[in-house]
Amino acid sequence: MTELRYAYNTNGLTSHRLSDALSFLADTGYAGVALTLDVVHLDPFADDAFTQAERVRARCDELGLGVVVETGARFLLDPRAKHEPTFVSASAEGRARRLAYLRLACDLAGVLGAEAVSFWAGVPKPGVDRDEAWGWFADGVRALVDSHGGRSYALAVEPEPGMLVEDCDGWARLAAEAPGTTLALDTGHCVVAGAYAPEEAVARFAPSLGTVAVEGMRRGVHDHLPLDEGDVDLPAVLRALREASYDRLVTLELSRDGHRAHEMVPRAMATLREAERA
């Protein structure tokens, strides 16, 4: 069976310089980094963002780290509104800003040699018709595929509980209407929303996986927990990934634990290795 490759998301390393975080991950046995473009690590709107990306690419090459680009920074586009604007914002200007940002993220992903760019739909605000919001999202995804599809990285849509696309079936509907994307499967989200257990989602959607995330999560509660907590059967998830011959990075997101990353980074790796043996 396939040997799995693990990465850690930089949104859980926000108290570390990016250069220090990369060395820390490599020294702890990770094969990659899930780089959340943000004001802390590689601000995509910085004047020298592409120069920074070239340096990060060189450092990752030295350390043997693969890269996934994550685009879910909380206040990158609006310092006063979390995750706004999105593809389902009522404002056409806001939707255009989200598309421009994702295109920029894709350009940076090319410089970084990333294997995937992950993004999500967003949450429709009260008063927004969900059918209309679906049309906006599908249009935005088609526009992104038209400009940046078919490149060296996968365009991966992540279902998020509470968002317009919140489960794997929602992604499948989108994929039928806006071809050219893959599934960014967060296995923890499966115990919060959707019809599939995490390991079932891996098996069912294996041919469409662009990137996969793991973490602990309690049934019905969207709260990212350490891998050894919650209701996800981690050994079953890892076994399903190996049986599916999944060879892309498996990422871990603990965005609320940056203050204790010195503990969580090695703890997560130890938990993953134990789950593999199980």
Side-chain angles (χ1 to χ4, degrees):
M1 290 188 290
T2 302
E3 182 178 352
L4 298 178
R5 303 162 54 238
Y6 300 114
Y8 200 96
N9 197 315
T10 57
N11 66 5
L13 288 156
T14 50
S15 294
H16 285 70
R17 298 180 185 88
L18 182 54
S19 58
D20 292 337
L22 296 175
S23 298
F24 185 21
L25 296 181
D27 290 344
T28 312
Y30 289 87
V33 59
L35 177 56
T36 294
L37 302 176
D38 206 347
V39 295
V40 180
H41 296 140
L42 215 172
D43 182 346
F45 299 116
D47 291 341
D48 64 342
F50 284 87
T51 300
Q52 289 186 50
E54 290 171 354
R55 288 199 297 266
V56 172
R57 167 68 180 273
R59 185 59 178 150
C60 286
D61 286 347
E62 290 175 2
L63 295 169
L65 296 176
V67 178
V68 170
V69 168
E70 299 279 354
T71 61
R74 293 181 176 92
F75 298 103
L76 186 63
L77 299 186
D78 187 333
R80 301 187 182 192
K82 180 182 176 182
H83 289 158
E84 291 292 328
T86 73
F87 272 144
V88 297
S89 296
S91 162
E93 185 274 337
R95 299 194 299 274
R97 285 180 59 207
R98 175 60 59 171
L99 176 59
Y101 164 54
L102 291 178
R103 284 172 166 163
L104 173 59
C106 287
D107 289 340
L108 288 166
V111 176
L112 289 162
E115 62 183 48
V117 177
S118 176
F119 63 100
W120 34 242
V123 180
K125 296 295 186 184
V128 171
D129 180 82
R130 291 187 71 86
D131 289 336
E132 189 171 21
W134 184 272
W136 295 335
F137 184 48
D139 286 346
V141 171
R142 281 189 286 263
L144 185 62
V145 170
D146 286 346
S147 62
H148 286 80
R151 303 199 180 187
S152 58
Y153 46 80
L155 295 176
V157 177
E158 180 181 5
E160 282 268 359
M163 291 194 176
L164 184 70
V165 174
E166 68 172 358
D167 59 22
C168 294
D169 288 336
W171 173 83
R173 176 188 171 190
L174 174 71
E177 296 183 20
T181 67
T182 60
L183 172 62
L185 176 63
D186 188 313
T187 55
H189 292 170
C190 294
V191 302
V192 181
Y196 309 98
E199 61 274 17
E200 293 172 344
V202 169
R204 183 177 182 91
F205 294 94
S208 302
L209 296 177
T211 186
V212 171
V214 295
E215 68 279 308
M217 203 165 289
R218 294 190 179 91
R219 198 167 307 282
V221 181
H222 187 192
D223 188 9
H224 290 236
L225 303 172
L227 285 164
D228 50 2
E229 299 179 17
D231 299 316
V232 175
D233 186 343
L234 182 62
V237 171
L238 300 186
R239 183 165 55 251
L241 287 167
R242 291 197 301 270
E243 290 175 350
S245 298
Y246 180 79
D247 60 359
R248 292 173 178 267
L249 290 169
V250 179
T251 71
L252 173 64
E253 179 181 355
L254 293 175
S255 61
R256 295 184 177 92
D257 289 293
H259 66 288
R260 56 175 184 160
H262 63 299
E263 299 172 348
M264 300 310 297
V265 168
R267 174 177 165 184
M269 180 55 70
T271 304
L272 288 164
R273 295 307 185 200
E274 181 179 353
E276 286 182 337
R277 290 190 294 271

